[in-house]
Amino acid sequence: MKTIIALKALAVLAALLLSLPGTSQKKESHKLVLNPHEVTGPIHLSPADFPTGNVINMVGGWGGMAVTINEVPAGTDYTPVLIGLKDDLCQVPHWGYLEKGKLRIIDKNKKTTVVNGGEVFYMPPGHTAIIDEDSKVIEFSPEEGMHELNKHVQKKVAEMQGNQ
């Protein structure tokens, strides 16, 4: 019994030693990807390195998914930038985590779901959202749909800014 415990301890120690810098274990290098159209394989991105200043701060190349991290001020209503899409609603599903704040998801049947900071959510196709409190939203969505949504939203924002 002591021999089995000693062998397990030795295996754990060997694994730890191989993971230390300077050992013979090869470390995989990850390229930071900020362009949603670049796909370079597995990536890691800290929130501090995430792109900012875009209408939708998004990184693609996550196995067919895009991840967004956005800080959105209270009072933001996404409905106007969705006009022109099917049913004038977002048709891209989103799985997310509301790190802080409060938002309302309104579906095509006008059903409203309130999401509070610290909660996870799913927005099925056919929705809009209104931000009730300053929020930090982290979402995962199909990459292809997000590219199309991003183009549409950028166009609508440019139109709205031109009307001011």
Side-chain angles (χ1 to χ4, degrees):
M1 183 68 167
K2 288 182 182 179
T3 304
I4 293 173
I5 293 171
L7 286 175
K8 286 182 181 178
L10 184 59
V12 170
L13 181 59
L16 287 172
L17 288 174
L18 288 174
S19 68
L20 293 175
T23 63
S24 62
Q25 183 179 3
K26 182 181 176 189
K27 294 285 184 180
E28 187 175 342
S29 174
H30 297 289
K31 177 183 173 191
L32 182 66
V33 177
L34 298 181
N35 183 337
H37 300 290
E38 288 184 23
V39 180
T40 60
I43 59 175
H44 169 268
L45 191 61
S46 75
D49 294 327
F50 209 83
T52 60
N54 303 301
V55 176
I56 300 173
N57 296 308
M58 174 177 69
V59 172
W62 293 60
M65 301 293 279
V67 62
T68 65
I69 299 178
N70 290 288
E71 294 196 39
V72 189
T76 300
D77 182 348
Y78 287 97
T79 307
V81 297
L82 301 175
I83 294 172
L85 297 174
K86 181 183 174 191
D87 299 326
D88 293 331
L89 296 170
C90 180
Q91 299 300 318
V92 179
H94 310 284
W95 294 262
Y97 173 68
L98 185 62
E99 186 173 306
K100 69 174 187 172
K102 181 178 178 181
L103 67 84
R104 283 180 282 149
I105 302 167
I106 304 163
D107 72 15
K108 62 185 174 188
N109 299 318
K110 306 291 185 218
K111 179 184 174 210
T112 300
T113 302
V114 175
V115 181
N116 294 294
E119 296 179 344
V120 296
F121 60 86
Y122 169 63
M123 292 186 203
H127 67 270
T128 188
I130 298 172
I131 306 298
D132 292 321
E133 295 176 5
D134 291 350
S135 296
K136 184 169 185 179
V137 185
I138 302 165
E139 293 177 341
F140 296 87
S141 309
E143 186 171 12
E144 186 175 314
M146 283 302 294
H147 288 306
E148 295 305 313
L149 176 63
N150 193 31
K151 286 180 197 174
H152 179 84
V153 168
Q154 287 179 344
K155 179 181 172 189
K156 293 304 270 186
V157 168
E159 288 173 4
M160 294 164 82
Q161 290 174 339
N163 292 335
Q164 293 179 356

